[in-house]
C-alpha cells in the first residue's frame, strides 16, 4: 500500500553478504518517524513557521531567477552533502546544470579535510582492499572500531585471525572490537602520534627501515629521520601510559611480520594532532 515494510541485504553481494549495518537497519524508523519534517518551514521575524510547498517553490524560484538575471547563475551557491548517496542525489546536479551552472564548494570541513590531510601525508588516500586483510599475518587496528563502524570488515578480520594472524588494537576505550584482538593497547587519548614516532625511532635504530624504498616513494624522509632521535620508547611511555616493553614489542612485531597491515581510524579531521 505504498509503504516500505522491510529492508534486507543481498546475500549474493560479495562484500556485504546480506548483512546490513545498524544505520541501514534503522532507515525505516527515520523514514516514518512522527517527528520527521513533512513540509517546508519559513523563517518569519526570527521564527520558523509552516509553509506550503507552493509557497516554498515559488519563493525559491523567484529568488533564483532574480539572482541569475541580476548577477548571473554563478552568484548562486549550491552546498549539499551526500546523504545515502542514492541516484536521486544527482537530480540537484542536473537541475543546476540546466540552470546555467552555479558555484559549488570543493571538499568539506569533514570528509574533504580528512582526504586533504591524507593526500598531503601519503600522496593519495589509499588503503587495503577489505579482502586483502584476510591474508595478513599481523593486523593493527589503529584507533578503529569496525565492530561498530565497519561490520563488513569483521569476517575478513576473523579469517585472518583463524589463519594465525595476530590482531592488535590501539584504542583508549574497550570497544566491542577488543574481543577480536590478541592484545589491546589502551593508550591515553590523543597520544597515538607519540606511539607512532617511537615505533619509527626503533625501526630506524634497529636498521629495519627500507631506505631504498623511502628514497623512491617518500618526500622529506632524510630531513624527518633526525627528528626521531628524541622520540625514544621511554619518552613515548611517559606520553601514552604504556610500558616501555609493550611499545618495543609492538614495533618488533611490526618489523618482523610480513605481510602486515595497519587499519587506521578515519577521524583525523577531528583530531588536533
Amino acid at each position: 500500500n505504498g509503504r516500505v515494510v522491510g529492508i534486507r541485504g543481498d546475500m549474493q553481494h560479495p562484500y556485504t553478504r546480506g548483512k546490513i549495518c545498524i544505520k541501514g537497519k534503522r532507515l525505516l524508523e527515520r523514514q516514518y518517524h512522527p517527528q520527521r519534517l513533512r513540509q517546508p518551514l519559513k523563517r518569519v521575524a526570527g521564527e520558523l513557521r509552516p509553509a506550503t510547498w507552493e509557497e516554498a517553490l515559488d519563493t525559491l524560484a523567484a529568488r533564483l531567477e532574480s539572482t541569475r538575471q541580476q548577477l548571473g547563475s554563478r552568484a548562486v551557491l549550491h552546498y549539499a552533502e551526500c546523504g545515502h548517496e542514492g541516484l536521486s542525489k544527482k537530480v540537484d546536479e542536473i537541475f543546476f546544470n540546466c540552470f546555467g551552472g552555479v558555484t559549488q564548494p570543493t571538499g568539506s570541513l569533514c570528509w574533504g579535510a580528512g582526504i586533504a590531510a591524507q593526500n598531503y601525508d601519503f600522496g593519495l588516500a589509499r588503503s587495503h582492499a577489505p579482502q586483502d586483510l584476510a591474508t595478513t599475518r599481523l593486523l593493527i587496528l589503529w584507533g578503529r572500531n569496525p565492530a561498530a563502524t565497519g561490520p563488513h570488515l569483521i569476517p575478513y578480520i576473523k579469517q585472518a585471525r583463524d589463519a594465525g594472524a595476530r590482531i592488535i588494537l590501539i584504542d583508549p576505550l574497550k570497544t566491542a572490537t577488543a574481543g577480536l584482538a590478541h592484545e589491546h593497547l589502551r593508550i591515553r587519548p590523543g597520544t597515538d602520534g607519540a606511539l607512532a614516532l617511537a615505533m619509527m625511532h626503533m625501526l630506524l635504530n634497529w636498521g629495519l627501515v627500507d631506505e631504498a624504498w623511502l628514497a623512491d616513494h617518500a618526500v622529506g624522509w632524510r630531513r624527518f629521520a633526525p627528528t626521531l632521535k628524541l622520540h625514544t620508547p621511554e619518552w613515548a611511555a611517559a606520553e601514552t601510559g604504556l610500558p616501555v616493553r609493550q611499545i618495543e614489542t609492538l614495533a618488533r612485531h611490526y618489523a618482523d611480520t610480513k605481510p602486515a597491515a595497519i587499519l587506521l581510524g578515519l577521524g583525523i579531521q577531528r583530531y588536533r594532532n
Side-chain angles (χ1 to χ4, degrees), residues 2 7 25 100 114 142 149 183 195 200 202 209 219 234 248 273:
I7 299 175
K25 290 178 179 178
W142 197 299
T149 63
E183 188 177 5
L195 179 62
M200 286 186 277
M202 287 180 280
V209 171
V219 176
E234 291 75 17
E248 292 176 338
N273 292 340

Side-chain angles (χ1 to χ4, degrees), residues 11-262:
M11 299 299 294
Q12 304 303 315
H13 194 281
Y15 181 39
T16 64
R17 301 178 187 180
K19 293 185 178 180
I20 303 175
C21 70
I22 293 174
K23 286 193 289 185
K25 290 178 179 178
R26 299 189 69 173
L27 282 174
L28 287 187
E29 181 181 332
R30 297 180 63 187
Q31 173 82 3
Y32 299 117
H33 197 281
Q35 291 183 345
R36 182 180 176 185
L37 293 177
R38 297 180 179 275
Q39 67 182 120
L41 299 178
K42 185 175 183 179
R43 191 174 298 280
V44 179
E47 295 186 0
L48 291 173
R49 67 167 180 81
T52 65
W53 283 105
E54 289 76 12
E55 181 183 2
L57 290 170
D58 287 346
T59 300
L60 287 171
R63 290 290 296 275
L64 284 168
E65 184 57 28
S66 64
T67 300
R68 181 168 60 176
Q69 293 293 336
Q70 296 175 30
L71 302 169
S73 64
R74 285 189 292 178
V76 175
L77 173 66
H78 175 220
Y79 187 91
E81 288 293 348
C82 57
H84 58 72
E85 298 184 3
L87 289 176
S88 63
K89 288 297 296 180
K90 298 297 182 183
V91 172
D92 53 359
E93 294 184 18
I94 295 171
F95 171 81
F96 284 115
N97 282 340
C98 294
F99 183 73
V102 293
T103 299
Q104 292 180 293
T106 299
S108 70
L109 294 177
C110 180
W111 179 242
I115 291 296
Q118 288 208 331
N119 288 345
Y120 185 78
D121 282 345
F122 305 117
L124 197 62
R126 289 276 179 88
S127 62
H128 292 273
Q131 299 87 334
D132 191 34
L133 296 176
T135 66
T136 191
R137 306 303 299 162
L138 171 68
L139 175 59
I140 302 178
L141 299 167
W142 197 299
R144 189 151 176 171
N145 181 22
T149 63
H152 301 118
L153 292 173
I154 297 299
Y156 299 110
I157 295 174
K158 288 182 176 179
Q159 284 181 42
R161 187 186 62 180
D162 294 344
R166 184 170 185 82
I167 313 295
I168 299 176
L169 174 66
I170 300 171
D171 198 318
L173 300 175
K174 186 176 182 180
T175 64
T177 301
L180 296 172
H182 296 96
E183 188 177 5
H184 179 193
L185 279 60
R186 298 188 67 173
I187 62 173
R188 292 193 184 106
T191 64
D192 62 309
L195 179 62
L197 289 168
M199 288 177 66
M200 286 186 277
H201 169 97
M202 287 180 280
L203 294 178
L204 188 61
N205 281 0
W206 293 338
L208 296 174
V209 171
D210 190 338
E211 296 278 359
W213 189 93
L214 287 169
D216 289 340
H217 296 87
V219 176
W221 163 251
R222 295 195 183 280
R223 287 185 291 129
F224 173 66
T227 69
L228 294 171
K229 291 181 180 178
L230 299 175
H231 301 122
T232 63
E234 291 75 17
W235 168 82
E239 294 287 325
T240 64
L242 297 176
V244 170
R245 185 172 182 80
Q246 196 171 35
I247 297 173
E248 292 176 338
T249 300
L250 174 66
R252 180 60 70 177
H253 277 316
Y254 188 63
D256 293 345
T257 310
K258 306 290 182 185
I262 295 177

